[in-house]
Amino acid sequence: MPHIALESHLPGITGLLEYRQDTAQPIRELTQILLRGESTLTEGERELIATLVSSQNQCKFCTTAHTAAANILLGETETCEMVKKDFESAPVSEKMKALLAIASHVQQSGKNVTSQDIERAKVAGASDREIHDTVLIAALFCLYNKYVDGLASVTPAEPAFYEKLGQRITTNGYNRVPAIYEQLKKEVQA
């Protein structure tokens, strides 16, 4: 049960963003830029960062949603599961392992990112922008995870919900799409 009154047909972050559209707009724009904007990291790699941080924060809604999106973008399910368990042994590039290590340290505390973490990423081929964006994605998902869990937003248990959500995320990105919200309302009422 959420701590505040939210639309019951909009679980997780969606209901919270709809609750305060004025504060949601800049967050949505930042997320769209970071996860779907121009980048030398693939959309799948950026979703892996979001998934790892959400998993480490134990935010079930965000972890499951971004796992679904990453799986779609990567075209398989094993990589995401391995990243959540032990990213150092996951089938990703050395650069991605180094960036995931940075994201993991940001999740604990921004001060946990060391010069050695940065050097490792640079030696593995990461650009300053990729390092910057990794830190910002990790910090942004710490915000999202704490927002979702701090207000106890609804977390569906059905895997089919997250499969649909993953499709919406990969198709529409992070922009507000009112028609989707109306469709969700109809599905709940049916």
Side-chain angles (χ1 to χ4, degrees):
M1 180 82 163
H3 295 312
I4 61 174
L6 298 170
E7 296 282 340
S8 62
H9 67 285
L10 298 175
I13 193 68
T14 312
L16 296 170
L17 294 175
E18 195 66 7
Y19 179 81
R20 283 275 326 249
Q21 292 181 30
D22 58 335
T23 59
Q25 187 59 36
I27 296 169
R28 286 182 183 279
E29 288 174 4
L30 179 59
T31 308
Q32 182 69 18
I33 290 166
L34 288 172
L35 273 72
R36 293 295 175 273
E38 182 182 324
S39 178
T40 51
L41 296 175
T42 68
E43 290 179 4
E45 289 170 331
R46 290 176 276 168
E47 288 289 348
L48 282 176
I49 296 166
T51 299
L52 175 66
V53 170
S54 298
S55 175
Q56 290 180 336
N57 280 326
Q58 300 177 4
C59 180
K60 183 178 179 185
F61 181 87
C62 295
T63 300
T64 312
H66 294 283
T67 295
N71 288 345
I72 291 166
L73 292 165
L74 297 172
E76 47 90 4
T77 60
E78 291 177 20
T79 299
C80 213
E81 291 308 311
M82 291 182 75
V83 162
K84 290 185 286 187
K85 287 181 181 148
D86 176 16
F87 62 84
E88 292 290 359
S89 65
V92 296
S93 69
E94 289 304 313
K95 176 176 87 171
M96 197 63 210
K97 287 177 185 177
L99 293 173
L100 289 168
I102 290 169
S104 179
H105 288 153
V106 169
Q107 179 272 330
Q108 297 162 9
S109 167
K111 293 180 179 183
N112 285 5
V113 178
T114 66
S115 56
Q116 291 86 358
D117 292 328
I118 302 304
E119 182 63 22
R120 175 186 176 193
K122 287 184 175 187
V123 167
S127 68
D128 285 349
R129 181 169 171 176
E130 289 170 335
I131 293 167
H132 170 276
D133 288 359
T134 296
V135 169
L136 192 50
I137 291 167
L140 179 62
F141 275 86
C142 284
L143 175 146
Y144 274 136
N145 302 156
K146 292 173 190 326
Y147 191 27
V148 166
D149 288 343
L151 286 169
S153 67
V154 174
T155 300
E158 309 81 30
F161 170 83
Y162 295 100
E163 290 169 17
K164 283 184 182 178
L165 181 56
Q167 287 291 342
R168 283 196 301 273
I169 290 170
T170 57
T171 302
N172 300 305
Y174 294 91
N175 298 309
R176 184 176 182 273
V177 183
I180 290 173
Y181 296 166
E182 289 306 313
Q183 179 61 37
L184 289 171
K185 192 174 210 173
K186 289 177 187 173
E187 289 173 11
V188 168
Q189 293 171 344

